[in-house]
Amino acid sequence: MRLEPIANPTLTRRVLPPALAIAASFAVAAFLAMIAGGNPFQVFGLIISGAVGSKFAVLETLNRATPLIFTGLAISVAFRAKLWNIGAEAQLYMGAVVTVVLGTGALGLPGWLMLPVLAVLAVIAGGVLLLVPAVLKTRLGVDEVVTTLLFNFIFLLFVSYLLEGPLKDPLGMGWPKSARLVPEARLPRIVDGLRLHWGFGLALIAAVGIWVVDKFTTLGFEMRAVGQNAHAARFAGIPVNPVILKTALLSGGLAALAGFSEVAGLKGSLTLDLSPGYGYTGIVVAMLALLHPLGVVAAALFVAAIFVGADSMSRAAGVPTYLADIMLASALLLTVLAILITKFRVRRD
Amino acid sequence: MDIVEILFSASFWAAAIRIASPLIFATMGELICERAGVLNLGIEGIMVAGAFAGWIAVWAGLPLWGGVAIAMIAGMGFGALHGVLSVLFGLSQHVVGVGITLLATSLTFYTYRVALPEVSTPPKIEAFKVLEIPLLSDIPIIGQALFAQTPLTYLAFGLTGVLAWTLYRTPLGLAVRAVGESPASVAVQGLSVAAIRMGAVIFGSGLMAVGGAFLTMSAFDSFFFDMVNGRGWICIALVVFGAWRPGKALLGAILFAAFDAFQIRLQQTGIGVHVPYQIFLMMPYILSILALVLMSRRAEVPAALMVPFNKGER
């Protein structure tokens, strides 16, 4: 078989394949739910009502979407420049560690200054953490996929050490858990009485900010040019390596904000289970959003809804919650295939 | 126990070879894929799937070698999916690989929960036993390390030899290496680049799954969720470290495993009391990154690695 580019794809051709891809991933999930002894209609009904069926459910979904918007943005910024950052998990924890180290009393700042300072320092630390693999890539040609992946394992062990050693809460009854943040370091709720913190607002602002950078600034243009064709970009006078390093700082910083917002907004302290793989799920979010910053918000809400819905479905119907992960993994694979089909015709010969 | 004593103990080298075995299978699997021009990041998930498939098959009543075959088939299934997406459709190998890892891992965990809904500890199976080779296993140190292992370990070493021979001494091996270096010239010869790459990815993925199955059927006798724990990613580093050559990659895996066995023993010495255990656990990952950095300057990357081939396109 052979792929042939289509000059002017029709509207049907551009819309139908991605829609079919999402439908097919639902079909896969329905089939698996049946194997587990569930009724697919009931299972999907429970997922939907669990995700958006009540005020509590909606707030839970928005809260769950917050870190995913940050990691999704981190991945989409990096992937656009073909910097394969699979280490958002480590960068997330870096942001959380900085927040906890400085926000539990070490930094005595007034309330209005505390949160911005913590956020900026978390961003810098997360960016620097990704800068190491990025420099290894630009200087020595070491593939960043493997290095960023391995960094996740190294950094999580480091966090585990911190929580059992220097950062351990003396009042934590022996649990590997950090002390609680001082009140000035907590992100306030958006509306009093509703369990939704300003981390969500910050995530939306970040998405719009990245969209602006992408669309209206030289850096945005350079990042896209490097991603599309590094040789051509270099030939056109774009400083490719510095652009990759700037992309790394931006991407790592965004992922670190996920950790900052989870600790300062939701949890108030750091434990080893702060992130159930938000760094990896960010890849799915970014791909479903076709790497578009505003699309990331929509994709993160979709993915968060599936996860929150699957949790409550699992409690009610007894179908394992891993159904959500399978659905998203198949959605990821089928969507990239669908996007290809919108642009190419498959010829047999 | 001091350091010299560790290095000269037979149990240390036996442990090193045992730890190396799953890495050898998976590294050879990845090596075949990459030699044919396909980076297979599905390795981590495929190892998880293989570990589970082999174990559950034996638990359900199949003989041990039947379990190995089931693991291999499961891995080949995911390899076929990877191949269709990355070879036939030429999609980004990074995205497809990460997707396969997510899919294989979540499918495995889902199946585990569906198959064993009410267990708190996973059931044990009767795992492969040590098969001492007469006479050879009596050689001091080396004998116990190399010739008192489970059959799967012998298979791992045998496989490496067969693989190296096939890759460098047969027309099939030449074809595999050629599609990884210059697919266009293979197509000119009238061979199908897609078919050769598909074959390499499917077979390689099967080997990765056997590597996973070693963990549940030979190293341990049960399945745990975090069993593979980054071994797949380490194998990708080992392929680079071994400069895409089976022999060097085998040595890399043994060296790496020796270091891993060493750090476990070091934790029990005087040093281990003063150094947090997390530092020891970090070592394999740090070592992998160091290996990548050291090899980066003289790595002989297959020229067409990660380059999709579309017939008729220049």
Side-chain angles (χ1 to χ4, degrees):
Chain A
M1 61 179 264
R2 191 159 56 87
L3 299 172
E4 201 178 80
I6 303 168
N8 296 307
T10 58
L11 186 65
T12 333
R13 185 142 199 130
R14 276 184 292 158
V15 174
L16 196 61
L20 282 177
I22 300 290
S25 56
F26 274 92
V28 170
F31 174 70
L32 289 168
M34 268 161 67
I35 290 182
N39 170 350
F41 295 104
Q42 188 210 0
V43 164
F44 283 122
L46 285 168
I47 290 181
I48 292 167
S49 67
V52 292
S54 64
K55 198 166 86 177
F56 175 82
V58 172
L59 291 173
E60 187 60 29
T61 299
L62 295 179
N63 268 330
R64 195 78 73 94
T66 303
L68 291 176
I69 296 176
F70 284 121
T71 54
L73 287 172
I75 304 286
S76 63
V77 165
F79 278 23
R80 281 210 150 187
K82 293 244 162 66
L83 174 72
W84 303 103
N85 172 19
I86 323 279
E89 191 77 2
Q91 295 137 26
L92 180 154
Y93 274 97
M94 177 60 113
V97 165
V98 168
T99 310
V100 163
V101 166
L102 299 173
T104 46
L107 208 59
L109 289 174
W112 58 273
L113 196 58
M114 183 68 135
L115 281 166
V117 167
L118 285 182
V120 168
L121 290 176
V123 166
I124 294 172
V128 169
L129 189 62
L130 181 54
L131 204 56
V132 178
V135 167
L136 290 179
K137 174 197 171 84
T138 55
R139 284 289 174 86
L140 298 169
V142 179
D143 186 40
E144 73 278 19
V145 173
V146 188
T147 46
T148 53
L149 268 167
L150 293 171
F151 263 56
N152 291 341
F153 291 88
I154 296 172
F155 203 80
L156 250 93
L157 283 165
F158 177 62
V159 173
S160 152
Y161 157 71
L162 288 178
L163 292 179
E164 288 176 17
L167 285 185
K168 186 171 180 173
D169 182 7
L171 308 170
M173 319 243 271
W175 288 100
K177 167 179 170 305
S178 81
R180 295 195 71 76
L181 296 179
V182 294
E184 295 81 45
R186 293 300 303 268
L187 279 164
R189 292 180 172 189
I190 295 179
V191 180
D192 263 338
L194 287 187
R195 198 171 156 272
L196 180 68
H197 59 86
W198 264 104
F200 183 69
L202 188 62
L204 295 183
I205 295 167
V208 174
I210 294 299
W211 178 71
V212 170
V213 168
D214 202 44
K215 192 122 181 145
F216 301 108
T217 68
T218 322
L219 179 63
F221 170 75
E222 288 177 339
M223 289 195 298
R224 256 175 300 140
V226 168
Q228 270 161 18
N229 190 333
H231 288 292
R234 191 171 280 127
F235 192 68
I238 292 173
V240 172
N241 284 349
V243 169
I244 292 179
L245 298 185
K246 281 180 207 161
T247 309
L249 281 173
L250 191 58
S251 172
L254 283 163
L257 277 179
F260 162 76
S261 119
E262 283 299 278
V263 171
L266 205 61
K267 302 281 172 66
S269 64
L270 175 59
T271 50
L272 252 192
D273 58 359
L274 180 75
S275 159
Y278 290 134
Y280 301 101
T281 314
I283 300 171
V284 182
V285 169
M287 293 313 298
L288 289 179
L290 310 182
L291 309 185
H292 190 288
L294 299 181
V296 162
V297 176
L301 287 170
F302 172 71
V303 170
I306 303 256
F307 274 126
V308 172
D311 279 351
S312 84
M313 175 280 296
S314 179
R315 284 192 295 272
V319 174
T321 136
Y322 294 109
L323 190 68
D325 301 82
I326 298 175
M327 214 164 115
L328 294 174
S330 13
L332 167 68
L333 291 173
L334 290 166
T335 315
V336 285
L337 179 61
I339 306 296
L340 179 91
I341 293 173
T342 60
K343 293 183 195 142
F344 292 90
R345 195 174 281 124
V346 178
R347 287 250 184 253
R348 301 189 50 160
D349 53 331
Chain B
M1 197 161 33
D2 73 347
I3 293 168
V4 180
E5 216 174 309
I6 294 175
L7 288 177
F8 281 98
S9 74
S11 75
F12 164 70
W13 287 105
I17 298 294
R18 190 170 61 240
I19 295 171
S21 304
L23 301 176
I24 295 172
F25 279 115
T27 303
M28 293 310 145
E30 182 69 34
L31 189 142
I32 298 169
C33 297
E34 294 196 16
R35 261 303 167 90
V38 181
L39 173 74
N40 191 345
L41 292 181
I43 183 168
E44 179 83 7
I46 292 173
M47 286 181 81
V48 175
F52 174 75
W55 168 78
I56 196 102
V58 173
W59 180 74
L62 248 62
L64 281 166
W65 288 106
V68 174
I70 294 288
M72 177 126 192
I73 290 167
M76 288 166 87
F78 286 110
L81 184 60
H82 193 299
V84 167
L85 295 170
S86 68
V87 175
L88 297 188
F89 286 103
L91 293 167
S92 157
Q93 293 175 9
H94 287 110
V95 176
V96 171
V98 170
I100 296 277
T101 283
L102 290 176
L103 183 68
T105 312
S106 50
L107 260 178
T108 302
F109 292 174
Y110 185 81
T111 315
Y112 177 91
R113 283 270 181 261
V114 172
L116 304 159
E118 301 295 334
V119 293
S120 48
T121 48
K124 289 182 188 310
I125 57 165
E126 195 71 30
F128 278 108
K129 286 199 171 49
V130 169
L131 181 73
E132 291 206 15
I133 294 178
L135 295 178
L136 288 176
S137 60
D138 297 332
I139 307 170
I141 302 180
I142 307 168
Q144 282 298 307
L146 287 176
F147 302 108
Q149 297 283 355
T150 58
L152 276 181
T153 297
Y154 303 133
L155 182 66
F157 279 80
L159 171 90
T160 307
V162 172
L163 187 71
W165 182 78
T166 312
L167 214 47
Y168 292 104
R169 294 279 182 271
T170 65
L172 176 67
L174 180 64
V176 169
R177 284 185 292 134
V179 289
E181 294 291 343
S182 171
S185 50
V186 176
V188 167
Q189 296 288 319
L191 293 169
S192 165
V193 174
I196 297 168
R197 284 189 169 173
M198 280 295 286
V201 174
I202 292 173
F203 182 66
S205 302
L207 290 185
M208 294 168 190
V210 175
F214 184 93
L215 295 171
T216 48
M217 301 173 63
S218 203
F220 304 96
D221 51 8
S222 199
F223 175 82
F224 304 99
F225 274 27
D226 53 356
M227 193 150 215
V228 176
N229 202 13
R231 280 187 176 83
W233 311 130
I234 285 168
C235 290
I236 292 186
L238 284 174
V239 172
V240 181
F241 180 75
W244 288 269
R245 288 162 182 278
K248 282 188 183 171
L250 176 89
L251 284 181
I254 294 173
L255 202 69
F256 179 89
F259 191 86
D260 204 17
F262 185 65
Q263 62 91 5
I264 296 167
R265 280 158 178 77
L266 209 58
Q267 284 186 51
Q268 293 147 6
T269 65
I271 304 165
V273 180
H274 301 290
V275 180
Y277 70 93
Q278 287 96 345
I279 303 286
F280 292 104
L281 294 179
M282 273 181 207
M283 281 305 169
Y285 307 112
I286 294 176
L287 204 68
S288 300
I289 292 180
L290 279 180
L292 287 176
V293 172
L294 288 177
M295 295 309 287
S296 63
R297 290 210 177 274
R298 51 208 172 93
E300 303 132 50
V301 194
L305 184 63
M306 291 187 268
V307 184
F309 179 72
N310 193 10
K311 207 163 24 173
E313 195 180 71
R314 280 148 229 282

